[in-house]
Amino acid sequence: MNGICAFLTMGDLGDYVTDDELAVEPFAQQGWQVEFVPWSDPTVDWNRFDAVVVRSTWDYQSNAGEFERTLVAIDRSRARLANELATMRWNLNKRYLRDLGTRGVPIPPTLWLHGLAASDLPAMFQQLRAEEIVIKPVVGAGAVDAFRLTLPQARDRGGELQRMFADRECMVQPFLPAVVEEGEFSLILFNGELSHTILKTPKPHDFRVQEEYGSTIRLVETEPALIAAAVAAMECVEPTPLYARVDFVRHQGRFVLMELELVEPSLYLRMDGESPERFAAAFERWMES
């Protein structure tokens, strides 16, 4: 098949690290011309494209409504959207983790809140039986507005947290020590098949695993238990998405799901020399399906 494919991105990537350009030549070898298109550009005619693949749209959380309207406009055009609109709508709000938890996928204990009062913070530590907690918005990316807190820190910053989350949905989880002791495993899948796995370890005195914050990232062998955990999570998603990144942390003898990224995950193509070709081949099969 031949055609034009848009990789949806940001108007200005700034300091973000992306390697989507590594897929351009493999896509060309499959007969596809790739154009990088900012999602927020109102002048784009989506009917110009045969397909649109959401890639580095990492500023969408500041205008989630407009981003979703863009996805709807693409879905209504002649272009085929990856991933599916319904899948991405579900995945844009981290409450999808609660859905997966009810279906038996292990996730960390989580409190789901609409609004947060400073006076409620001490009780959260008791409810979660945690010495440290993590608070983050349910619509967000890149650890923006995410906090790791002890009880004294939560008390000191209670006013700030209340102002930040007063009218926002947020989630509260116990901090899992393995995040910093070992790191977070990310499995990258194309059409449901494993491409490669990386391990992201935060820099000293940080808990954020994103490379923009200085984490260490390396390619690792995929343990059978990790593969089984990813398969179990992906069995809950229909239809099978073109791309997925499944993030796990080892906790109490098993892997717990931290994120199932189906909208705009970094695919870490530079970490595995054959992964750009796998992505292109998966895209070609997906377009033919």
Side-chain angles (χ1 to χ4, degrees):
M1 185 178 289
N2 295 288
I4 304 176
C5 174
F7 276 11
L8 218 57
T9 185
M10 300 163 56
D12 180 9
L13 282 166
D15 294 330
Y16 283 108
V17 179
T18 178
D19 49 19
D20 295 324
E21 68 279 357
L22 296 176
V24 172
E25 180 56 30
F27 268 62
Q29 292 173 3
Q30 297 282 352
W32 288 92
Q33 174 187 336
V34 172
E35 295 184 17
F36 289 84
V37 181
W39 72 267
S40 56
D41 184 348
T43 68
V44 178
D45 177 9
W46 301 111
N47 288 303
R48 285 187 53 236
F49 302 100
D50 300 282
V52 176
V53 180
V54 181
R55 292 306 320 120
S56 50
T57 58
W58 297 325
D59 59 348
Y60 80 85
Q61 67 271 14
S62 61
N63 200 342
E66 186 60 33
F67 180 65
E68 187 171 344
R69 285 188 286 273
T70 297
L71 296 181
V72 170
I74 297 169
D75 190 62
R76 290 175 177 172
S77 74
R78 62 179 292 272
R80 188 175 181 188
L81 177 64
N83 283 316
E84 298 280 345
L85 177 61
T87 297
M88 290 194 287
R89 275 178 157 166
W90 171 72
N91 197 236
L92 281 169
N93 188 307
K94 288 184 174 60
R95 286 183 182 268
Y96 75 81
L97 288 167
R98 185 171 61 179
D99 296 341
L100 294 174
T102 62
R103 299 184 64 176
V105 177
I107 67 169
T110 307
L111 303 177
W112 303 96
L113 308 174
H114 188 93
L116 184 153
S119 58
D120 295 334
L121 286 165
M124 295 177 189
F125 287 83
Q126 294 179 345
Q127 287 178 269
L128 295 171
R129 299 180 181 178
E131 295 183 0
E132 288 186 276
I133 61 173
V134 174
I135 303 175
K136 54 189 174 182
V138 300
V139 177
V144 175
D145 294 342
F147 296 86
R148 172 188 173 186
L149 302 160
T150 62
L151 180 55
Q153 290 169 335
R155 285 179 170 142
D156 289 343
R157 304 183 70 176
E160 174 191 356
L161 293 166
Q162 179 170 302
R163 288 188 296 273
M164 178 167 290
F165 294 108
D167 297 312
R168 297 170 73 184
E169 288 186 285
C170 62
M171 55 193 290
V172 186
Q173 297 175 325
F175 175 73
L176 304 185
V179 171
V180 295
E181 294 170 355
E182 180 178 33
E184 182 178 274
F185 294 90
S186 289
L187 286 72
I188 290 86
L189 296 89
F190 302 135
N191 284 339
E193 297 182 2
L194 178 66
S195 170
H196 54 292
T197 299
I198 62 167
L199 178 63
K200 302 173 289 186
T201 306
K203 70 180 182 182
H205 311 298
D206 204 338
F207 72 102
R208 297 168 296 184
V209 298
Q210 292 80 7
E211 55 200 309
E212 289 77 24
Y213 301 115
S215 65
T216 299
I217 299 172
R218 60 188 178 92
L219 189 70
V220 294
E221 294 292 328
T222 314
E223 297 180 32
L226 259 180
I227 295 175
V231 168
M234 293 301 297
E235 284 178 347
C236 299
V237 183
E238 294 182 0
T240 301
L242 168 62
Y243 56 87
R245 200 187 76 218
V246 198
D247 298 336
F248 291 100
V249 166
R250 202 189 306 266
H251 180 62
Q252 297 180 345
R254 63 176 180 173
F255 290 105
V256 297
L257 181 69
M258 304 302 288
E259 297 275 3
L260 174 56
E261 297 276 7
L262 303 175
V263 181
E264 31 58 80
S266 174
L267 301 176
Y268 297 97
L269 300 177
R270 68 189 180 282
M271 302 301 295
D272 183 299
E274 297 178 359
S275 63
E277 286 72 23
R278 292 192 202 105
F279 185 29
F283 173 79
E284 177 69 7
R285 292 193 300 272
W286 177 78
M287 284 299 295
E288 291 177 345
S289 65

